[in-house]
Structure formats: structure tokens, C-alpha cells
Amino acid sequence: SRPTLYVVDGDLFMLCGDYIENKIGLYKLPVYCIENILCCHNAFHRILDEEEPAKKIEQLISDFNFDEWVLNNEEKLFNLFIEYSTAMSLAPEIPTVSYKVSELINDKHGNLCATKTNARIESLKAAVLAKVGEDAYNIKRKEHITSFYSKGIRKLDIVSGKDYIFPLLKIRFRSTVKTGATDATLKLRLSISADITSLQAANDYVANI
């Protein structure tokens, strides 16, 4: 009799054609996973201010420079996850998101290395081509790109917040301020200030209210 709502990740199925609709008791996140919501620039700014009492918040925001991080990494991550979704559709036995983001990092500020990321994309592409051929690959990849643009979402929404965005921003955070906070503590603190506007529709699917 208690209010109940099962919440599931959007995951790579956001591009792969999972058309299960929200219904009473079930809500599918409009992003890859909940960490995409938690990785909010305002939430990070608040924690930066809490962790560093000696510097002004304006200086911390400038040092962290969330916009610069997005500029440096959004397109790389988007292209990689388009490749991951294509590989999952055509050759699901090929490891995708399980590939550690630490293998793709360029520096201590949470930026992807363009060379390493492109090499990862080309490796995935070669593996898929070897299985299904170029025509099937091109058709499926185009379908996923079209699917993305039809949803009206942001490029980082299809990227794993848990396995890619949060680890990268955590590195950037720790290069900006000294902190001993664990991953779980950081996520809990981010949840206090994160913008949850995109999740408001979940209220309409709670059962037994």
C-alpha cells in the first residue's frame, strides 16, 4: 500500500530502440543514468565552496571551469557513445561501457585524450565491421544519430554518468580542491543541489498515491 516507483536507467537503449513507455509504478530516466543528473555544475560549485574555505567561490568556479570541461569533452564522449550503441546493437558481445574511462584520460583535469579516444572508436568500428560489414554498420550508426536528434536531448545525456562523466569530473574536482570525500559521499552531497527539473515527470507515475 506504500507509494512505489521503480526507476530504471535510460542506458544505451536510449539510442538502440527501447520503446517501453513510462506507466504507473515504472519510470525510465530521460538520461543514461542518475549520475547524469547529479553531475550538475551548480552542485559541484557548492561542494567546491564547502571544501575550500580560503578561496572565494568565484575563484573556485573559475578554477573548476565546468564550461571548459564540456567544451573539451562533450563531442569526444558523444562520438564514443554513438559507437558504443552501434556496437551493442550489431555485436553485443563486444565490450563497450565496461572499458574504463581511465584508459582514455589525457591529464589530471579530467579531460579525454583525443588520440586515445579516436583509437578506441576505430577499434570498436573495426570489430563491428568485421562481423556485419560496412553497409549494416553505416545504416545502424545513422539510425542512432537520427534517434538522438529526434529526442531533443543533450549530447552528454546519452553518455554514462556513472562510468564516464562522474569519474572525469571527480578528477577535475580533486585537481581544484583537496578533498578526502569518497565517491558515495560526493554523490550524496551533489544530490542536495543538483537540478532535478528533468525528473519532475516521475511524480506522475508513482503508484498507490
Side-chain angles (χ1 to χ4, degrees), residues 124-167:
L124 284 164
K125 179 179 178 180
V128 175
L129 288 175
K131 179 178 180 181
V132 303
E134 189 168 356
D135 288 345
Y137 167 84
N138 288 336
I139 290 170
K140 185 60 66 176
R141 187 175 186 277
K142 184 177 180 180
E143 284 179 2
H144 289 187
I145 293 173
T146 301
S147 175
F148 165 77
Y149 283 107
S150 72
K151 294 179 184 296
I153 56 178
R154 301 171 303 174
K155 289 184 176 180
L156 288 178
D157 289 342
I158 69 162
V159 175
S160 173
K162 176 183 177 182
D163 297 309
Y164 279 71
I165 297 174
F166 177 75

Side-chain angles (χ1 to χ4, degrees), residues 7-206:
V7 180
V8 294
D9 291 341
D11 217 308
L12 288 174
F13 292 108
M14 291 179 70
L15 301 178
C16 293
D18 179 0
Y19 299 111
I20 295 174
E21 298 292 336
N22 295 332
K23 58 184 179 181
I24 298 302
L26 176 66
Y27 178 71
K28 184 167 61 177
L29 292 174
V31 292
Y32 192 101
C33 60
I34 196 62
E35 282 81 0
N36 292 66
I37 301 295
L38 299 183
C39 290
C40 166
H41 66 285
N42 286 330
F44 268 109
H45 293 166
R46 172 176 171 167
I47 303 177
L48 285 166
D49 195 34
E50 293 171 349
E51 291 288 322
E52 177 49 75
K55 290 184 179 180
K56 292 183 177 180
I57 181 62
E58 293 80 9
Q59 183 60 54
L60 293 169
I61 290 173
S62 177
D63 292 344
F64 187 65
N65 204 337
F66 185 87
D67 290 340
E68 180 185 71
W69 179 85
V70 172
L71 182 65
N72 289 339
N73 297 281
E74 182 180 51
E75 200 66 26
K76 297 184 186 75
L77 288 167
F78 175 74
N79 290 332
L80 178 60
F81 272 75
I82 288 292
E83 210 66 38
Y84 280 163
S85 66
T86 304
M88 191 180 82
S89 291
L90 297 174
E93 71 278 5
I94 297 174
T96 53
V97 184
S98 61
Y99 189 88
K100 293 185 180 298
V101 70
S102 58
E103 300 294 328
L104 304 173
I105 292 176
N106 188 39
D107 57 28
K108 67 176 183 178
H109 302 293
N111 292 310
L112 293 183
C113 172
T115 302
K116 292 177 181 178
T117 305
N118 288 335
R120 172 66 175 149
I121 290 172
E122 289 302 316
S123 175
L124 284 164
K125 179 179 178 180
V128 175
L129 288 175
K131 179 178 180 181
V132 303
E134 189 168 356
D135 288 345
Y137 167 84
N138 288 336
I139 290 170
K140 185 60 66 176
R141 187 175 186 277
K142 184 177 180 180
E143 284 179 2
H144 289 187
I145 293 173
T146 301
S147 175
F148 165 77
Y149 283 107
S150 72
K151 294 179 184 296
I153 56 178
R154 301 171 303 174
K155 289 184 176 180
L156 288 178
D157 289 342
I158 69 162
V159 175
S160 173
K162 176 183 177 182
D163 297 309
Y164 279 71
I165 297 174
F166 177 75
L168 291 174
L169 286 173
K170 178 181 67 176
I171 292 170
R172 194 172 186 86
F173 180 82
R174 289 178 172 167
S175 73
T176 306
V177 296
K178 293 182 179 180
T179 178
T182 64
D183 287 6
T185 300
L186 278 176
K187 290 180 183 180
L188 181 61
R189 292 167 68 186
L190 286 170
S191 71
I192 296 171
S193 303
D195 182 1
I196 60 170
T197 304
S198 63
L199 302 181
Q200 291 303 310
N203 295 331
D204 298 333
Y205 300 99
V206 179

